[in-house]
Amino acid sequence: MIPSTREEALAALEDFVPRMPAYAAGRNYVGRPAVSLLSAAIRHRLILEEEVVERSLAAHPFSRIEKWLQEMVWRTYWKGWLEARPGVWDSFVQRVDDLRTHQPTDVLKRADDVAAGRSGVAAMDRFARELLETGYVHNHARMWWASFWIHVERLPWELGAAHYLEHLNDADPASNTLSWRWVAGLQTKGKTYLVRRSNLEKYCDSLESDGLERLEDGRVSAVEVHEYADLNVRPLVPVESGGPDAPCVLWLHEDDLLPEVGPLASARPTFVVAIGPTADRVSRFRRTAMDDGLRRASAHFGCPAHVVSSVDEFVGLSGGRPVVAFAPFVGPAQALAAELQSRVSCTFVRRAWDERHFRRATRGFFPFWAAVSKELK
């Protein structure tokens, strides 16, 4: 079960603690219970990265769970990398819009068929349907499917990334966009991820044979993918490090649903407000998580909590009061923040974990990991 509340996330973490040492050996096997299923809870911060790290190290020595810890902080690295290069996200959003508007009809039709699980390669179609039905796909299967989309079906990577962003419960603008760029060969120059039949046969417990000949080792070749992104590095946007000491409106957004833990815990909101998602399947998951965050925030701060449908409604409800929130990350929530800032006074607060680690995400992951791991050992 994918945890969609803080209580469920904490229980899932405790359930996974005994299995952490086995993560390195089992994490790539699709269909086996070697992964934590905590990704969506961490993405929306029903549970914090540092909580998971602290609990992990309280139970096991660093050397036994290094791969687990390393994978844990990949999300932080991706976020920090994108925070310094917001033009990559802006370029991606523009590119998706352009492709949907100007691609030939037959290309868009094929993209729709592959996304719906009608490619003719049974294994890939199973993963496609799993995404649509559950909002979850194992990370290794995500890599295979992304490579299939790009290097076998020869479809624009941006359309595949947008499809994942729409349907994954743990859809994260940084992790999703940059991982697709990596598979395409853009994120790390000279490195392209190619799906191989032998890899699927090794790591899948069961594998349908229909269409597998298209994935034979040596048959799949890399597509030449053009770089459209704005890669210019920008300074990390300064935000506050502590919570406000005056009455305010607390904005609860999907990037951080844990205001009662951390620098906002002592805030004095008149009420808590969320701008609610629509009612599709993934948004129902997000709405459950959001409702859990609103319930906890209302209890902690002793004030009402509301869900509104738009920035206009938010501004009207705020009545001119100053707004405080955790700093949203590059992506849709940050776009909402920009719109709010143009209408009302806003204070954004960054968690110490983000402030410390984002500044380290200047180069590749492994220099980043070398710096982070020194703190964890």
Side-chain angles (χ1 to χ4, degrees), residues 6 18 63 69-70 114 189 198 216 233 265 324 334 370:
R6 176 162 172 79
S63 59
L69 295 171
Q70 190 179 84
V114 175
K189 296 301 181 184
S198 63
E216 290 290 352
V233 175
V324 65
Q334 198 170 95

Side-chain angles (χ1 to χ4, degrees), residues 108-277:
L108 295 177
K109 173 62 166 61
R110 184 57 182 171
D112 287 344
D113 285 341
V114 175
R118 298 190 296 267
S119 75
V121 179
M124 298 296 109
D125 290 343
R126 172 162 60 94
F127 298 142
R129 291 192 297 271
E130 181 182 13
L131 171 65
L132 296 177
E133 292 166 6
T134 70
Y136 171 80
V137 183
H138 187 284
N139 185 63
H140 206 163
R142 296 183 196 194
M143 293 164 57
W144 291 330
W145 197 84
S147 182
F148 174 70
W149 177 281
I150 298 167
H151 302 298
V152 179
E153 288 291 339
R154 310 269 162 160
L155 293 166
W157 74 265
E158 296 94 338
L159 294 181
H163 177 69
Y164 264 32
L165 196 63
E166 180 180 355
H167 291 283
L168 281 170
N169 287 330
D170 64 355
D172 178 282
S175 297
N176 184 70
T177 306
L178 303 183
S179 294
W180 274 82
R181 282 174 53 84
W182 180 78
V183 171
L186 293 172
Q187 193 63 22
T188 303
K189 296 301 181 184
K191 290 189 177 181
T192 302
Y193 183 77
L194 298 181
V195 60
R196 293 179 291 114
R197 177 173 180 164
S198 63
N199 197 249
L200 271 76
E201 289 175 337
K202 178 179 179 179
Y203 289 109
C204 284
D205 283 349
S206 61
L207 193 64
E208 304 92 333
S209 61
D210 292 355
L212 274 181
E213 66 278 0
R214 296 183 64 194
L215 310 182
E216 290 290 352
D217 292 25
R219 178 172 179 175
V220 180
S221 59
V223 172
E224 182 180 356
V225 179
H226 296 288
E227 178 66 89
Y228 294 97
D230 171 8
L231 295 168
N232 291 320
V233 175
R234 297 170 175 81
L236 193 64
V237 176
V239 296
E240 299 294 328
S241 59
D245 56 7
C248 59
V249 175
L250 178 64
W251 174 35
L252 193 67
H253 55 74
E254 67 174 4
D255 285 352
D256 199 313
L257 297 176
L258 198 55
E260 71 272 25
V261 176
L264 293 184
S266 60
R268 293 189 288 147
T270 306
F271 44 82
V272 181
V273 185
I275 303 174

